[in-house]
Amino acid sequence: MAGDPLIELRNVNKHFGSLHVLRDIDLTVDRGEVVVVIGPSGSGKSTLCRTINRLETIDSGRITIDGSPLPAEGRGLARLRTEVGMVFQSFNLFAHRTVLANVSLAQIKVRGRGRAQADRRSLELLDRVGLADQAEKLPAQLSGGQQQRVAIARALAMDPQALLFDEPTSALDPEMINEVLDVMRQLAAEGMTMVVVTHEMGFARSAAHRVVFMADGRIIEDRTPEEFFTAPESDRARDFLSKILKH
């Protein structure tokens, strides 16, 4: 796995007006690697995640996926978004379509699969996230945790090279968080390349190959979970950990 970069950010900067939200970001994610991004609110974590599939544009620097720079728009961008799937905080499912149709839709529209083939793949993936029996329901009939698992199945249906997770459990009730993290742990174990922005330190500890700690738009630490959680190098990280690990 080492030395096979799939996602690379070099000297990436991003402003929202006068706010400098990403400052000289350098980050490499190898194929099959799980990188968890943590840090205080407003540190730039979600923006970083969203630049990787160009939901946010950058002001300067360079981002490459599998050696190719991010396409600006049009067809290339649509293709990029099939290669780099995204799972959001809010599930973004189509309310008026069944669970099955939600997972099949982009396969048909973007990947060009026939409906029967798409539905077959969707059912496989719904089974994988433990929801094959919910295929004919509408999203509103499911719990938040179930909806997020459908969103993961939908992202997987495109056969992406990598998945981005932007705080995938922060909108969920506590008892639903684990059912989503369990699916993510399983994907990690199967070798899916993942960049995960999360507040779930247990997941960072158990599933990440690397923990990236951000503060004030910068990457302050980029280390193994073991190193980061037992001996953080920076005052910012020590302060952050002391606040969250007390509770």
Side-chain angles (χ1 to χ4, degrees):
M1 180 182 73
D4 187 9
L6 180 61
I7 299 167
E8 291 189 88
L9 290 80
R10 288 290 166 266
N11 205 24
V12 167
N13 283 274
K14 167 77 179 172
H15 295 77
F16 289 124
S18 61
L19 194 62
H20 198 168
V21 286
L22 294 179
R23 298 169 181 263
D24 303 323
I25 296 290
D26 284 321
L27 178 67
T28 301
V29 181
D30 283 342
R31 210 176 292 276
E33 198 169 29
V34 178
V35 174
V36 171
V37 184
I38 63 174
S41 290
S43 57
K45 309 181 298 287
S46 286
T47 305
L48 171 70
C49 190
R50 292 166 70 89
T51 61
I52 296 173
N53 73 346
R54 216 171 178 282
L55 284 172
E56 298 284 359
T57 55
I58 59 175
D59 299 329
S60 63
R62 178 179 162 88
I63 301 177
T64 57
I65 306 289
D66 206 7
S68 302
L70 292 193
E73 56 210 14
R75 237 178 222 161
L77 189 56
R79 195 158 42 244
L80 166 79
R81 296 211 173 120
T82 64
E83 296 298 334
V84 182
M86 182 114 184
V87 177
F88 300 89
Q89 185 173 343
S90 53
F91 325 119
N92 293 8
L93 299 173
F94 294 111
H96 58 289
R97 291 178 181 267
T98 64
V99 163
L100 182 65
N102 264 284
V103 181
S104 290
L105 189 66
Q107 295 180 66
I108 295 165
K109 292 250 190 285
V110 182
R111 284 285 194 215
R113 291 177 187 155
R115 176 167 299 281
Q117 184 195 4
D119 283 352
R120 215 168 27 247
R121 176 81 176 126
S122 297
L123 285 167
E124 272 169 31
L125 290 166
L126 287 168
D127 188 44
R128 188 163 158 191
V129 300
L131 293 171
D133 57 341
Q134 308 292 320
E136 295 309 320
K137 290 192 174 167
L138 292 172
Q141 296 172 280
L142 272 54
S143 71
Q146 288 173 320
Q147 289 186 59
Q148 191 59 295
R149 280 146 61 199
V150 172
I152 293 172
R154 179 182 58 183
L156 288 170
M158 304 306 283
D159 302 315
Q161 292 194 54
L163 281 181
L164 311 174
F165 292 85
D166 186 10
E167 303 201 6
T169 58
S170 58
L172 299 178
D173 293 332
E175 70 270 20
M176 292 172 194
I177 289 173
N178 273 333
E179 67 191 57
V180 173
L181 293 179
D182 285 345
V183 169
M184 292 168 62
R185 280 195 186 95
Q186 182 62 36
L187 290 174
E190 289 166 11
M192 173 61 77
T193 308
M194 294 161 60
V195 177
V196 183
V197 175
T198 187
H199 297 288
E200 298 297 327
M201 295 302 134
F203 178 82
R205 254 190 167 139
S206 65
H209 295 101
R210 282 162 46 215
V211 171
V212 168
F213 174 73
M214 290 185 72
D216 307 318
R218 296 183 190 280
I219 292 178
I220 309 287
E221 302 201 22
D222 178 350
R223 310 171 68 207
T224 68
E226 178 65 21
E227 291 168 335
F228 178 77
F229 285 107
T230 53
E233 286 175 339
S234 61
D235 292 340
R236 287 301 303 266
R238 276 194 289 274
D239 181 51
F240 175 77
L241 288 172
S242 73
K243 288 192 174 110
I244 55 165
L245 298 177
K246 273 181 190 150
H247 300 298

